[in-house]
Amino acid sequence: MRTVIEELVEEAERLIRERVWLLTSTDRAVAAKAAADLHAAVGAPQFQQTLSEVDRLEHLREALAAVAIALARVHGRLAWFLGAAATALMPVLHWRAMPAEDGRTFGAVVPVLQQYAEAEDAVRRLQSTLASIATA
């Protein structure tokens, strides 16, 4: 997940640097709001690690929701970037943090702690890039 987000970020930065992607005021505004929402959803590593797995998963799902909401508000390259980011974060939708009493989970799996950390790092990287886009 983190690797995919990093690749997306590198591509976005290159497109902006080479002026292939010309940011609009709407792009900047949506990126600023999404960056703020991602920051609110997933805090610093030291804070996230103190949370229960249920809370960490909730925060990751909030981050994915923030990306989806931002995606709904734009078109063009920012939409393509956010769509690819949402796809990269999709595994969190199949995670569960609660025990399955009867064994049925609709295919949800329990992630290991490293997967939480990786997903949180990916969200932080995405957040920092969106913040950069907002001020570019």
Side-chain angles (χ1 to χ4, degrees), residues 10-57:
E10 288 172 5
E11 182 178 356
E13 289 171 344
R14 182 182 52 76
L15 291 173
I16 292 168
R17 184 178 54 255
E18 293 175 357
R19 302 195 48 78
V20 173
W21 180 0
L22 301 175
L23 298 167
T24 66
S25 58
T26 300
D27 288 343
R28 287 184 183 91
V30 170
K33 172 74 168 114
D37 292 345
L38 291 176
H39 180 72
V42 175
Q46 301 83 354
F47 173 73
Q48 290 300 121
Q49 292 169 359
T50 66
L51 299 174
S52 70
E53 292 176 21
V54 170
D55 289 338
R56 288 178 84 173
L57 183 53

Side-chain angles (χ1 to χ4, degrees), residues 69-87:
I69 289 168
L71 173 59
R73 295 187 173 137
V74 291
H75 303 283
R77 293 193 194 280
L78 184 56
W80 303 335
F81 174 70
L82 291 170
T87 299

Side-chain angles (χ1 to χ4, degrees), residues 75-99:
H75 303 283
R77 293 193 194 280
L78 184 56
W80 303 335
F81 174 70
L82 291 170
T87 299
L89 297 173
M90 287 265 259
V92 303
L93 295 177
H94 300 286
W95 292 356
R96 65 181 175 86
M98 300 176 69

